[in-house]
Amino acid sequence: MNRLRFLKDILFCILLMMMNIVACSLKAPGITFTQTQTASERQMVGEDKEIEKDGWLISSIKSSSSGSDLWERDVTRGDIADRNHLILLKKLAYLTPEVKELKLQGVVGESFDGSVKRIKNASLPKEYSEPRIKELLDRVNKTRKEVIAIQVSLEADRSKEEVEKTMKEYYFNSVEYGEFYEASSNKWERKEAK
């Protein structure tokens, strides 16, 4: 009887090991979380008319990179100025890829005054309209001003003018090769490789 019980236990263990081997060989596909909008997300907010071929939406707006629920939870530690600062920086990070693409296309450029401006007479990509460009630039520039204001309040050892100048220079110097910037008043140039 003990021998039969022993064989059953061994058989059970072998069965469990085989199930583990089968379970371990099945791997779920990798999921990558990014700070940029997917084609599906852009379509949901009305920026894209068509979804990319074979595109899949596997998240919800609430939990996606454009939703702030998780980010809000991340920044609950610290005081209100720090939370607001972090949320504004994340907002800029979220908008940056779209602005960068428009800078590369010559539609917008980085200005001396720390803002992104529309380049006059530049043709728009078919997926953009003037109101959409204006809305994007207003959002980016307003957020940048709010970031600068918070930065001024955080740096008590420097004057407001110094901090503002440093931040505006930071934005202007962030222009990468191929992007447009204001070389002189209303004169736009593409940054070339050295």
Side-chain angles (χ1 to χ4, degrees), residues 11-21:
L11 187 57
F12 181 74
C13 289
I14 291 172
L15 183 62
L16 278 177
M17 287 177 20
M18 288 175 60
M19 287 175 52
N20 281 337
I21 290 171

Side-chain angles (χ1 to χ4, degrees), residues 1-2 6 23 40 42 51 84 126 128 131 149 191-192:
M1 193 69 157
N2 282 341
F6 177 74
S40 301
R42 285 193 302 271
I51 250 185
N84 289 341
K126 65 179 180 176
Y128 284 94
K191 185 172 183 177
E192 300 296 329

Side-chain angles (χ1 to χ4, degrees), residues 97-172:
E98 188 173 8
V99 172
K100 180 179 176 58
E101 183 60 34
L102 291 169
K103 283 183 192 175
L104 288 169
Q105 293 178 17
V107 176
V108 301
E110 195 65 51
S111 177
F112 292 123
D113 63 6
S115 65
V116 181
K117 292 183 179 175
R118 172 81 165 93
I119 298 175
K120 291 185 172 120
N121 302 326
S123 58
L124 286 177
K126 65 179 180 176
E127 63 270 13
Y128 284 94
S129 64
E130 283 298 336
R132 172 67 190 125
I133 297 286
K134 183 180 180 337
E135 175 191 348
L136 175 66
L137 295 182
D138 288 348
R139 186 177 299 158
V140 168
N141 293 329
K142 179 179 183 269
T143 304
R144 283 184 176 187
K145 285 178 185 175
E146 292 172 351
V147 167
I148 290 172
I150 290 175
Q151 196 65 36
V152 165
S153 71
L154 295 175
E155 295 191 35
D157 57 324
R158 295 172 60 202
S159 72
K160 175 183 177 186
E161 291 75 22
E162 278 182 293
V163 175
E164 286 178 349
K165 182 180 181 226
T166 301
M167 292 296 292
K168 288 175 182 179
E169 286 174 356
Y170 168 78
Y171 290 130
F172 187 75

Side-chain angles (χ1 to χ4, degrees), residues 19-108:
M19 287 175 52
N20 281 337
I21 290 171
V22 170
C24 290
S25 67
L26 299 175
K27 291 187 177 181
I31 297 174
T32 305
F33 294 96
T34 63
Q35 295 296 324
T36 58
Q37 290 177 323
T38 64
S40 301
E41 289 173 321
R42 285 193 302 271
Q43 186 185 40
M44 277 193 233
V45 294
E47 297 171 13
D48 275 353
K49 301 296 181 228
E50 293 181 27
I51 250 185
E52 63 189 33
K53 184 177 169 111
D54 296 328
W56 290 84
L57 179 63
I58 58 169
S59 66
S60 69
I61 292 268
K62 188 171 187 166
S63 65
S64 73
S65 61
S66 62
S68 63
D69 281 3
L70 295 175
W71 286 358
E72 295 269 358
R73 215 174 322 134
D74 287 346
V75 296
T76 52
R77 302 170 218 102
D79 64 15
I80 292 183
D82 290 339
R83 286 194 317 232
N84 289 341
H85 195 198
L86 187 55
I87 289 170
L88 290 170
L89 292 175
K90 288 181 177 185
K91 187 175 184 180
L92 283 176
Y94 179 74
L95 296 170
T96 296
E98 188 173 8
V99 172
K100 180 179 176 58
E101 183 60 34
L102 291 169
K103 283 183 192 175
L104 288 169
Q105 293 178 17
V107 176
V108 301

